[in-house]
Amino acid sequence: MSTPDFTLYALTAISLYIIGLYGIAVRRNMVRIVIGLEIITASVNLNFLAFTKLDQSLLPLAQYFVVVSTVIGAAIAGLSLMIVIQAYRHYGSIDAKKLSKLRW
Amino acid sequence: MIIEDNSFILFQSIIVPAAFSVLALVLGNRLKEKTGWLSSVILLYSTVLIGYTQLRLFLEPSLEAIEASYSWLPNIGSLSLGSFTLRADGLSTPIALIIAILCTLISIYSVKYMEHEHALGQYFALYLLYASGMIGTVLVTNLAAFFLFFELMLIPSWALIGVWGTGLREKIAFKYFMFTEAGALSLLAGIVATGFIANTFEIFEVSQGMVGIELGVQIAIVVAMLLGLFVKMAIFPLHTWLPDAHAEAPTPISALLSPAMIGIGGYAAIRIVYTGFPAVVKASTPQFMLILSVLALVTMTYGGYMALAQDDIKRLLAFSSISQMGYMLFGIASVSTIGLVGAVLLYVSHGLGKAVLFMVSGVLIHEFKTRSIKELGGLAAKMPYTAIATLIGFLGLMGFPYLIGFWAELYIFTGSMYTALQGFSHLLEPNSIRVLITSLAIVASVLTASYGLWTVRRVFYGQPTEKTMHAKEGSMIMIVPIMILAALALILGIYPGLMASSASTYISELLGSIG
Amino acid sequence: MAIVPTVGIETIPAWLSWLFPMIGAFLTPLLAKINPKVRDYGAVLFSFLAALMTIMLIPLLFSVEALPKWEVLPWIELEGFPVLSKIEFGVLVDPLSIIMANVVAVISFLIMVYSLGYMKGESGLTRYWFFMNFFIGNMLLLVMSENLVQTLFGWEGVGLCSYALIGFWYKDRKEDYLKTWVGEPPEAYPPSHCGMKAFITTRIGDISLLIGIVIIVAFTGTLSYMELIEKVEHLPHEFMWILVPAAILLFGGPIGKSAQLPLMEWLPDAMAGPATVSALIHAATMVKAGVYLVGRLFPIMYVASKFYPEMGSFFYVVAWIGVITAFVAGTQAITSNEIKKVLAYSTVSQLGYMMLALGVAGTTFEFFIGYTAGVFHLMSHAIFKAALFLTAGAVIHAVESRFLHHMGGIRREMPITFWSMTLTAFSLMGVPILFSGFWSKDLVLESTLLAGQPILFALAAITAAITAFYSVRMLSLTFLGKKSKHIHELEHEGHHIHEAPKVMWIPYSILAIATVLFGIGAITLLPLGGFGGWLEHTFENYLSRLPGMEHSSTLLAAELATEGTLPQELAVIITIGTSLTVLAIGAFIAYKLYIRRSPDPAKLVGSKGVLKSLWNFLFRRWYVNAFFYKVFVYPTISFSNWALKHIEIGGIDKFNYVLANAVRGFSNRFRRTHTGLLNYNVIGMIAGIILLLILVYMVLV
């Protein structure tokens, strides 16, 4: 079967991961940060499935992990969006730079 | 012959004050300053116990020590902290006795002096903890327990200075705490190193455990520990915490900080260095001990000069304490039985004399609300007891006969000179540097006479100043403890054997075992 | 022949002689509570008991072979001490201590009686009596003590009493300037300052003494006089050199206590105390303690010089310091304006004579001549100087001023005082035959000649001339001539000058008679060689029986013998001739200046020139006093102030704050990493993860 092999999946996952990190680390818009978080979650899920390419017997375990992880990812998304909304209510903006009370 | 302490005498003398501190805290709100009477009764109990021990040691020359040992903590892996050992022998008992007597009497003094202060229940609770810490430090022989009590001395005194002190008290208390803590950490480093290398924390077994260890390592450990102890003793140049702490502490606490606590550093130096590290003493004499002698001489002189320049009477007494600790170190560094006994007697003399002087300064502060010598004068007529007590106090510091200070200084200097001239019996060159240093040290005592007599003159003679126009004698509650201490100094001055004979027996054996 | 301590009843008076006054001192506050009169008479009673005890010891002087009586009790026994393990506490009764004890106790009693009158009406008498009795007790303790530690107790004890009594009028009231202060500007001092000065100056001497004691005990192992005499012969010879600085340091104590150069300046200023104090402490007894100590140490040092000639330098130091002090102090007395100060300088000068005598004694074969001279002059001086001070006190009381220029012409009003002062002043000057001062001073001069020391002799003789001069000056300014303006003012106010009360003049007339009696005794006992000769005989008998002191030569004396000394008869003639000559010269010049008033002394020194600067130099006490203040006192205080500012606060303490500020500065910089910005936190997290991965990679590979 000439399904794409492991390396491709793994690289995709890593690049998604880096994109997601970029989103968290660099972007000031809180919604974009949340999107970045979701991208990271997706990359992690993809990574799990990529490993099944190496060993077919891991598939049930990987599927299990992905399902749980997706559910958790949804919960995280909901929670973080709620935080964004609260922050918007408090600061009047969705700029992450405004949340700097925990400073020196 | 060493006796087991089966009736928990030593243990009680340490724990009883600590335990009853809770009682003082609880009753403090109701009794206010009269809590002082309660705490002095509690401390009197400790005093009687220790006094009984000293009396036994004095009357039975064959009795070397009274020891007690309690199992303490479980082993942590292969490291055992040892047992909680207490030991009352000729070296520790006089010191513990003086601490107990001072704590008892100063507690009575506090009743009057602190009468208008707040939260006195807490004050006396902390006071009892502090006393317990001091007595404990002196009586334990397990290094880990020693460190425990060392810190236990530190924290209540920090609180006492910080809350009930004067001036920039929080800052001064913080400085005091930090400084002493830094020293204590150095001490801890030494203790931990000893524990691991010698495999024991028991001071009497350390010397066995140190056999065969390289001398450089031993000296390093000793120096680390001495650094911590010298901070406590306020030896130059580690002394800068003392003038501020003593001047701004509430006077009863100054009267404990200075006479009782700082000398413990000296006691610990004797105990730890001479008992635990005989190789350091033997191999490095004369160099190491000679350097300590020079350090002592510098401290003596420096303290004296600084005292001359002070207008604040409590700071003057603080610098005087630094100078006296120089004397004690001089005795410790003399490597001779006579000198070490002199150091113990100096602790006694300084304890009694400085407590008298600080309490007198408290009487002056209480009456005239000032610490400045310039604002005082002509007091001898209206305050005769205070004047007599001050004169006795300063005479004791000067080493005047009829007071214990004379014997202390005589022995310290004779000890050092004997070590210096010891060469004679072995047809070696006498250590002329030590002869010179001893002579200079004796000359330095002129400074003590100068600042003492000058202070007496400025405060008590001459014409009264505006502040002192309507002077009257201080309250008897404050004067009686002062006179008791002065009388003790006189009694011991005429018959120092009470404290000295047990000390000399023990110390001569100690030095004899070093060889 | 070893001497061992014994116990016996003959020594009981020795113990009681110092115990009674000490007990009396401590009973004084209690007696005061009963009744002031009980206190006063009680105090005098205790001093009487002391005198009684010492008198009871006199018979022992006549059976010298039974002396010394040495009795000890254990005091401090500290086993384990290599030296000083056993300090004992006892009495040492020998001719020296018997004579000294009697001088002290009897004169003390007379002065206590005088105090009843002199101190009448003063406040603080409880304190006065306490310290007087405590003083007498300590002084007798010092005299009777058998070892150096016990001596130190007595020594410092008398120092404390001296401090307290000089500063008796501690209130330093300016209104009392004429009576209680001392000196004139720029060197006028109040009583409390003088007490402190006395204590600190003698403390310096005591320090030197202490160093000497410490060296001696560390070296020989004992501080007991008798044991030291025995031990000295057996000390290892190679290390005997350490005894020389030890001995000279020991002499430092007497230099302080007996007010020799360079520590003499406290004594003139001690005149701020009451006249009784000046008489007792600063004339008759405490200042003699130094001489006494030298006398006690004499046999030890003498035997040591037998084996080690360099010990002789100890004796030379004593002699030279003595004679130079005598001369310098004598010249200072010439210009003094206060009656008690003249007497104070005179005391210093005469103490120098005693030291001179003891010093030269140590360099000769016949040590007992100089030794006797020192002790005889000590006795003689105690009697006449105490009387002089007591009469001076009576005059000050009457005239209400201490200044000589406020006195004058009161001879008629105070005849008894005048005659007492004159007789005793003659004794001081050394007027021949009838006065003990003549015999004792001549013995001192004679001993210097016999020791082959012409320079010392010459200096001592010149000093004798000076002594005659200032004595006549003092007498004439006080009693003769015209009354001063001050006295006229007093009489105008209604205070007439009258004789002192009986309780005051009886003691000093007794002393005046005593000084004459001793003088007469010197002649009538001529078959025995006079009183001086009898003393010589006693001392020779006693001292030469001490171990090592057999009447043979020291190496030093042997060296000197080759220089040739005079035969005794020639020395006596030269001495008498010289002393008469200098007496005449000094007295005559004083007579011309102060009795005849031609030339007028005020005009002589008033005009510019050599005489004026000389006068100024002497008036300012050879600038020794000013020197001490300028070089030691003020610089020490300024140094400590400077050191406080720059070393303590600016240097060491500053380091604490530098350290604290450094830590605070560092943490100030460092905490800026807490930006609170989410993005930076995340970047930091990523960086940390990368770092960890690299570390893991390095560890695994």
Side-chain angles (χ1 to χ4, degrees), chain B residues 1 81 377 436 454:
Chain B
M1 156 184 79
L81 283 176
L436 180 65
W454 196 30

Side-chain angles (χ1 to χ4, degrees), chain C residues 75-93:
Chain C
W75 188 10
I76 302 171
E77 289 190 29
L78 297 171
E79 48 164 282
F81 273 20
V83 292
L84 215 57
S85 58
K86 213 156 74 96
I87 299 184
E88 287 153 335
F89 179 82
V91 292
L92 180 60
V93 177

Side-chain angles (χ1 to χ4, degrees), chain C residues 553-614:
Chain C
S553 65
T554 67
L555 286 176
L556 180 61
E559 279 173 32
L560 286 175
T562 55
E563 289 172 25
T565 53
L566 300 162
Q568 184 138 11
E569 298 72 29
L570 186 58
V572 172
I573 297 178
I574 297 182
T575 310
I576 297 189
T578 319
S579 68
L580 288 176
T581 320
V582 296
L583 172 68
I585 297 176
F588 182 68
I589 300 180
Y591 170 76
K592 292 275 299 178
L593 283 178
Y594 291 101
I595 302 186
R596 280 275 187 221
R597 297 273 167 174
S598 74
D600 189 358
K603 289 214 186 61
L604 262 184
V605 294
S607 55
K608 303 226 192 311
V610 176
L611 272 180
K612 177 146 172 83
S613 6
L614 184 63

Side-chain angles (χ1 to χ4, degrees), chain C residues 282-298:
Chain C
H282 306 122
T285 50
M286 186 182 94
V287 294
K288 303 284 199 317
V291 180
Y292 180 77
L293 185 63
V294 174
R296 262 277 176 261
L297 293 173
F298 185 92

Side-chain angles (χ1 to χ4, degrees), chain B residues 378-396:
Chain B
L379 289 172
K382 302 275 183 44
M383 304 178 82
Y385 292 112
T386 314
I388 296 175
T390 317
L391 191 60
I392 294 182
F394 277 118
L395 287 177

Side-chain angles (χ1 to χ4, degrees), chain B residues 61 171 175 179 236-237 239-241 243-244 302 305-306 308-310 319 337-338 341 380-381 391 395 398-403 406-407 409-411 413-414 417-418 421 423-424 427-428 430 435 438-439 442-443 445-447 449-450 453-454 456-457 460-463 493-497 500-501 504-505 508, chain C residues 22 33 75-84 87 131 134 138 141 149 152-154 156-157 159-160 163-164 167 170-175 190 192-193 196 199-200 203-204 207-208 210-211 213-215 217-219 223 236 238-242 249 636-637 639-641 643-644 647-649 652-653 656-657:
Chain B
K171 228 167 138 180
K175 180 175 172 182
F179 224 112
F236 183 92
H239 64 279
T240 42
W241 61 271
D244 290 320
Y302 185 77
Y305 275 115
M306 290 300 115
L308 269 177
Q310 296 301 323
F319 277 109
T337 313
I338 314 176
V341 170
L391 191 60
L395 287 177
M398 269 194 255
F400 191 80
Y402 294 104
L403 297 170
F406 168 74
W407 297 106
E409 288 193 17
L410 180 67
Y411 288 149
F413 295 131
T414 308
M417 191 62 85
Y418 180 75
L421 296 177
F424 284 107
L427 293 180
L428 295 170
V435 172
T438 313
S439 310
I442 302 181
V443 172
S445 53
V446 179
L447 283 171
S450 308
L453 288 172
W454 196 30
V456 169
R457 179 179 175 235
F460 290 101
Y461 300 149
Q463 291 290 305
I494 300 184
Y495 193 56
S501 57
S504 79
T505 326
S508 65
Chain C
M22 294 262 208
K33 288 243 182 335
W75 188 10
I76 302 171
E77 289 190 29
L78 297 171
E79 48 164 282
F81 273 20
V83 292
L84 215 57
I87 299 184
F131 278 112
F134 195 55
N138 273 301
L141 174 68
V149 172
L152 260 186
F153 268 68
E156 303 270 8
L160 177 69
Y163 161 76
Y170 61 84
K171 293 211 173 89
D172 296 349
R173 286 164 23 130
K174 293 225 172 55
E175 300 86 23
S192 61
H193 182 94
M196 185 177 71
F199 204 148
I200 296 184
R203 191 84 188 139
I204 299 175
I207 297 294
S208 167
L210 191 61
I211 301 180
I213 289 181
V214 164
I215 295 180
V217 75
F219 182 46
L223 287 174
E238 320 76 271
F239 300 113
M240 285 282 274
W241 60 265
I242 199 112
L249 284 169
T636 307
I637 299 182
F639 171 71
S640 28
N641 282 322
L644 180 68
I647 300 183
E648 177 71 14
I649 299 181
I652 307 176
D653 209 24
N656 296 333
Y657 294 110

Side-chain angles (χ1 to χ4, degrees), chain A:
Chain A
M1 293 179 282
S2 60
T3 44
D5 67 349
F6 168 71
T7 325
L8 190 59
Y9 284 120
L11 276 170
T12 318
I14 289 176
S15 35
L16 274 176
Y17 188 77
I18 292 176
I19 294 170
L21 274 182
Y22 169 78
I24 309 178
V26 177
R27 284 296 172 195
R28 277 166 57 173
N29 191 329
M30 277 195 257
V31 179
R32 286 184 212 254
I33 290 175
V34 175
I35 294 174
L37 262 175
E38 286 308 306
I39 296 178
I40 288 178
T41 313
S43 81
V44 167
N45 292 340
L46 185 57
N47 196 33
F48 276 130
L49 293 173
F51 276 107
T52 62
K53 273 288 166 190
L54 291 177
D55 185 358
Q56 281 290 94
S57 66
L58 286 175
L59 193 56
L61 191 60
Q63 287 175 338
Y64 170 72
F65 272 132
V66 169
V67 168
V68 174
S69 170
T70 309
V71 171
I72 294 176
I76 291 178
L79 188 63
S80 35
L81 281 171
M82 185 199 72
I83 292 176
V84 171
I85 293 173
Q86 282 294 72
Y88 176 70
R89 286 213 185 120
H90 196 251
Y91 289 98
S93 133
I94 50 174
D95 186 355
K97 245 203 166 88
K98 292 270 189 298
L99 281 69
S100 56
K101 281 224 170 123
L102 206 63
R103 62 190 303 234
W104 61 272

